[in-house]
Amino acid sequence: MAVARHGANQCKPKPADKVVVFGAGPIGLGATLAFKSLGVSRVVVVDLIPSRLDKALQIGADAVINSAEEPVVQRLIELHGAGEAGIPGLPGRAGTDIYLDAAGAPAVIHTALTAAKKGATLGIVGVHK
């Protein structure tokens, strides 16, 4: 829980921020709780395991994305709106303000960098080997 809360705190969320947490294990779920306790009104959780996504909804996630079944970036755009392109000319950016990697999977970093709008925050608490 300390890692989850510290990760959320380091992202410096504001209540109006739109947040996505990658990973619905103990740290990802803890981060979801942390963001909600910090007043963030829109938190989406991404994972591959349906039972973990169910748990995320039970503890307060506003939406979940099963990355094995749906395109994450497209779904984030549907949930958070479109954002300003991080790099001019690259379409398909999400309006998400904060991306928190609690999964530790290289695909998460790729997805976050693909989706991130200009000025978005990327926090990493997942262990990358």
Side-chain angles (χ1 to χ4, degrees):
M1 292 303 286
V3 170
R5 181 61 183 233
H6 183 67
N9 287 344
Q10 289 298 106
C11 292
K12 298 178 178 52
K14 298 178 283 311
D17 282 343
K18 294 167 269 192
V19 174
V20 61
V21 175
F22 289 90
I27 295 174
L29 293 175
T32 301
L33 289 169
F35 281 118
K36 295 304 274 188
S37 74
L38 290 167
V40 175
S41 61
R42 291 176 279 181
V43 179
V44 174
V45 177
V46 179
D47 203 289
L48 299 164
I49 302 171
S51 61
R52 286 183 172 196
L53 294 171
D54 291 340
K55 183 63 74 179
L57 289 170
Q58 291 172 13
I59 66 162
D62 299 289
V64 295
I65 301 171
N66 185 326
S67 58
E69 297 178 359
E70 53 189 328
V72 175
V73 177
Q74 180 181 334
R75 188 76 173 107
L76 283 173
I77 291 170
E78 291 171 9
L79 293 166
H80 290 163
E84 181 181 347
I87 300 172
L90 289 180
R93 299 296 172 146
T96 308
D97 300 296
I98 297 173
Y99 297 78
L100 183 72
D101 171 15
V108 170
I109 302 301
H110 179 266
T111 300
L113 294 177
T114 299
K117 68 179 182 177
K118 182 178 181 180
T121 297
L122 172 59
I124 301 172
V125 293
V127 176
H128 288 262
K129 296 179 182 177

